[in-house]
Short mmCIF file of all heavy atoms in Angstrom, two decimals:
data_model
loop_
_atom_site.label_atom_id
_atom_site.label_comp_id
_atom_site.label_asym_id
_atom_site.label_seq_id
_atom_site.Cartn_x
_atom_site.Cartn_y
_atom_site.Cartn_z
N VAL A 23 -3.17 6.70 31.34
CA VAL A 23 -2.58 5.37 31.16
C VAL A 23 -3.65 4.30 30.96
O VAL A 23 -3.36 3.11 31.01
CB VAL A 23 -1.70 5.02 32.38
CG1 VAL A 23 -0.50 5.92 32.45
CG2 VAL A 23 -2.50 5.06 33.67
N ALA A 24 -4.89 4.71 30.74
CA ALA A 24 -5.97 3.75 30.50
C ALA A 24 -5.78 3.07 29.15
O ALA A 24 -5.26 3.68 28.19
CB ALA A 24 -7.33 4.44 30.55
N THR A 25 -6.18 1.82 29.06
CA THR A 25 -6.08 1.07 27.80
C THR A 25 -7.14 1.57 26.82
O THR A 25 -8.32 1.67 27.16
CB THR A 25 -6.28 -0.43 28.05
OG1 THR A 25 -5.26 -0.88 28.96
CG2 THR A 25 -6.17 -1.22 26.76
N GLU A 26 -6.72 1.87 25.62
CA GLU A 26 -7.61 2.39 24.59
C GLU A 26 -7.61 1.43 23.40
O GLU A 26 -6.64 0.72 23.15
CB GLU A 26 -7.18 3.79 24.16
CG GLU A 26 -7.21 4.81 25.28
CD GLU A 26 -6.93 6.21 24.79
OE1 GLU A 26 -7.15 6.46 23.58
OE2 GLU A 26 -6.49 7.05 25.59
N THR A 27 -8.74 1.45 22.68
CA THR A 27 -8.92 0.60 21.50
C THR A 27 -9.09 1.48 20.28
O THR A 27 -9.80 2.49 20.32
CB THR A 27 -10.15 -0.30 21.67
OG1 THR A 27 -10.01 -1.09 22.86
CG2 THR A 27 -10.30 -1.24 20.49
N MET A 28 -8.45 1.07 19.19
CA MET A 28 -8.51 1.85 17.96
C MET A 28 -8.57 0.91 16.77
O MET A 28 -7.95 -0.16 16.78
CB MET A 28 -7.30 2.77 17.85
CG MET A 28 -7.30 3.66 16.61
SD MET A 28 -5.79 4.65 16.48
CE MET A 28 -5.93 5.66 17.96
N ASN A 29 -9.33 1.31 15.77
CA ASN A 29 -9.35 0.57 14.52
C ASN A 29 -7.96 0.65 13.89
O ASN A 29 -7.40 1.74 13.76
CB ASN A 29 -10.41 1.16 13.58
CG ASN A 29 -10.68 0.26 12.39
OD1 ASN A 29 -9.77 -0.29 11.78
ND2 ASN A 29 -11.94 0.10 12.06
N MET A 30 -7.42 -0.50 13.50
CA MET A 30 -6.05 -0.50 12.98
C MET A 30 -5.94 0.19 11.62
O MET A 30 -4.83 0.50 11.17
CB MET A 30 -5.53 -1.93 12.86
CG MET A 30 -6.19 -2.76 11.82
SD MET A 30 -5.47 -4.42 11.78
CE MET A 30 -6.27 -5.08 10.31
N ALA A 31 -7.08 0.47 10.97
CA ALA A 31 -7.06 1.20 9.71
C ALA A 31 -7.13 2.71 9.91
O ALA A 31 -7.07 3.46 8.94
CB ALA A 31 -8.21 0.74 8.81
N MET A 32 -7.25 3.16 11.15
CA MET A 32 -7.37 4.59 11.42
C MET A 32 -6.05 5.30 11.17
O MET A 32 -5.01 4.90 11.68
CB MET A 32 -7.83 4.81 12.86
CG MET A 32 -7.99 6.28 13.25
SD MET A 32 -9.30 7.10 12.30
CE MET A 32 -10.73 6.21 12.91
N ASP A 33 -6.11 6.36 10.37
CA ASP A 33 -4.95 7.22 10.12
C ASP A 33 -5.22 8.54 10.83
O ASP A 33 -6.07 9.32 10.41
CB ASP A 33 -4.76 7.43 8.62
CG ASP A 33 -3.42 8.09 8.30
OD1 ASP A 33 -2.92 8.85 9.15
OD2 ASP A 33 -2.88 7.87 7.21
N LEU A 34 -4.51 8.80 11.92
CA LEU A 34 -4.76 10.00 12.73
C LEU A 34 -4.37 11.28 12.02
O LEU A 34 -4.90 12.34 12.35
CB LEU A 34 -4.01 9.88 14.07
CG LEU A 34 -4.41 8.69 14.95
CD1 LEU A 34 -3.56 8.65 16.21
CD2 LEU A 34 -5.88 8.74 15.30
N GLU A 35 -3.47 11.20 11.07
CA GLU A 35 -3.07 12.40 10.33
C GLU A 35 -3.98 12.67 9.15
O GLU A 35 -4.23 13.83 8.82
CB GLU A 35 -1.62 12.23 9.85
CG GLU A 35 -0.61 12.20 10.98
CD GLU A 35 0.81 12.12 10.48
OE1 GLU A 35 1.04 11.37 9.51
OE2 GLU A 35 1.67 12.80 11.06
N THR A 36 -4.49 11.59 8.52
CA THR A 36 -5.41 11.75 7.39
C THR A 36 -6.62 10.86 7.64
O THR A 36 -6.64 9.69 7.24
CB THR A 36 -4.72 11.35 6.06
OG1 THR A 36 -3.46 12.04 5.96
CG2 THR A 36 -5.60 11.69 4.88
N PRO A 37 -7.65 11.37 8.31
CA PRO A 37 -8.81 10.53 8.66
C PRO A 37 -9.54 9.96 7.45
O PRO A 37 -10.21 8.93 7.57
CB PRO A 37 -9.71 11.50 9.45
CG PRO A 37 -8.78 12.56 9.95
CD PRO A 37 -7.74 12.71 8.90
N GLN A 38 -9.42 10.59 6.28
CA GLN A 38 -10.12 10.09 5.10
C GLN A 38 -9.43 8.89 4.47
O GLN A 38 -10.03 8.20 3.63
CB GLN A 38 -10.24 11.20 4.04
CG GLN A 38 -11.04 12.41 4.47
CD GLN A 38 -10.24 13.36 5.36
OE1 GLN A 38 -9.02 13.24 5.43
NE2 GLN A 38 -10.93 14.28 6.02
N ALA A 39 -8.19 8.61 4.87
CA ALA A 39 -7.46 7.49 4.27
C ALA A 39 -8.02 6.17 4.75
O ALA A 39 -8.74 6.10 5.75
CB ALA A 39 -5.97 7.60 4.63
N ASN A 40 -7.69 5.12 3.99
CA ASN A 40 -8.11 3.75 4.32
C ASN A 40 -9.63 3.64 4.45
O ASN A 40 -10.16 3.10 5.41
CB ASN A 40 -7.45 3.28 5.62
CG ASN A 40 -5.94 3.26 5.54
OD1 ASN A 40 -5.37 3.04 4.48
ND2 ASN A 40 -5.28 3.52 6.67
N SER A 41 -10.32 4.19 3.46
CA SER A 41 -11.79 4.15 3.41
C SER A 41 -12.40 4.74 4.68
O SER A 41 -13.32 4.19 5.28
CB SER A 41 -12.29 2.71 3.21
OG SER A 41 -11.77 2.15 2.03
N GLY A 42 -11.87 5.89 5.05
CA GLY A 42 -12.38 6.54 6.24
C GLY A 42 -11.99 5.85 7.53
O GLY A 42 -12.71 5.95 8.54
N GLY A 43 -10.86 5.14 7.52
CA GLY A 43 -10.40 4.46 8.72
C GLY A 43 -11.14 3.18 9.03
O GLY A 43 -11.19 2.77 10.20
N THR A 44 -11.69 2.53 8.01
CA THR A 44 -12.44 1.28 8.22
C THR A 44 -11.79 0.07 7.59
O THR A 44 -12.05 -1.06 8.02
CB THR A 44 -13.86 1.42 7.66
OG1 THR A 44 -13.79 1.72 6.25
CG2 THR A 44 -14.61 2.54 8.38
N LEU A 45 -10.95 0.25 6.56
CA LEU A 45 -10.38 -0.88 5.84
C LEU A 45 -8.93 -0.57 5.49
O LEU A 45 -8.65 0.42 4.82
CB LEU A 45 -11.18 -1.18 4.56
CG LEU A 45 -10.82 -2.45 3.80
CD1 LEU A 45 -11.19 -3.69 4.61
CD2 LEU A 45 -11.53 -2.49 2.45
N LEU A 46 -8.03 -1.42 5.94
CA LEU A 46 -6.61 -1.26 5.66
C LEU A 46 -6.22 -2.14 4.49
O LEU A 46 -6.46 -3.34 4.49
CB LEU A 46 -5.78 -1.64 6.89
CG LEU A 46 -4.26 -1.53 6.75
CD1 LEU A 46 -3.85 -0.07 6.54
CD2 LEU A 46 -3.56 -2.10 7.96
N GLU A 47 -5.61 -1.53 3.47
CA GLU A 47 -5.23 -2.28 2.27
C GLU A 47 -3.79 -2.77 2.39
O GLU A 47 -2.93 -2.10 2.94
CB GLU A 47 -5.39 -1.40 1.03
CG GLU A 47 -6.83 -1.01 0.73
CD GLU A 47 -6.96 -0.22 -0.54
OE1 GLU A 47 -5.90 0.16 -1.10
OE2 GLU A 47 -8.09 0.02 -0.99
N ALA A 48 -3.57 -3.97 1.85
CA ALA A 48 -2.24 -4.58 1.83
C ALA A 48 -2.14 -5.46 0.60
O ALA A 48 -3.15 -5.97 0.10
CB ALA A 48 -1.97 -5.37 3.10
N VAL A 49 -0.92 -5.67 0.13
CA VAL A 49 -0.66 -6.47 -1.07
C VAL A 49 -0.04 -7.80 -0.64
O VAL A 49 0.94 -7.82 0.13
CB VAL A 49 0.28 -5.74 -2.04
CG1 VAL A 49 0.54 -6.60 -3.28
CG2 VAL A 49 -0.34 -4.41 -2.45
N THR A 50 -0.61 -8.90 -1.10
CA THR A 50 -0.10 -10.23 -0.77
C THR A 50 1.04 -10.61 -1.71
O THR A 50 1.36 -9.89 -2.66
CB THR A 50 -1.22 -11.27 -0.88
OG1 THR A 50 -1.62 -11.40 -2.27
CG2 THR A 50 -2.43 -10.86 -0.05
N LYS A 51 1.67 -11.75 -1.44
CA LYS A 51 2.78 -12.20 -2.29
C LYS A 51 2.29 -12.61 -3.68
O LYS A 51 3.11 -12.73 -4.60
CB LYS A 51 3.50 -13.36 -1.63
CG LYS A 51 2.66 -14.62 -1.51
CD LYS A 51 3.47 -15.75 -0.89
CE LYS A 51 2.66 -17.03 -0.82
NZ LYS A 51 3.43 -18.14 -0.22
N ASP A 52 0.97 -12.80 -3.84
CA ASP A 52 0.39 -13.08 -5.16
C ASP A 52 0.01 -11.82 -5.90
O ASP A 52 -0.69 -11.89 -6.92
CB ASP A 52 -0.85 -13.97 -5.00
CG ASP A 52 -0.52 -15.30 -4.36
OD1 ASP A 52 0.59 -15.79 -4.60
OD2 ASP A 52 -1.35 -15.82 -3.60
N GLN A 53 0.45 -10.66 -5.37
CA GLN A 53 0.14 -9.36 -5.98
C GLN A 53 -1.35 -9.08 -6.00
O GLN A 53 -1.87 -8.48 -6.94
CB GLN A 53 0.73 -9.28 -7.40
CG GLN A 53 2.22 -9.53 -7.50
CD GLN A 53 3.03 -8.57 -6.65
OE1 GLN A 53 2.77 -7.38 -6.63
NE2 GLN A 53 4.01 -9.10 -5.93
#
């Protein structure tokens, strides 16, 4: 039950995704 910290770009199922779990991509309303 200890508090843990994780990079929000980390994909536990596919570690190679999101630039190796370092950068999360998103699309803005300006495309």
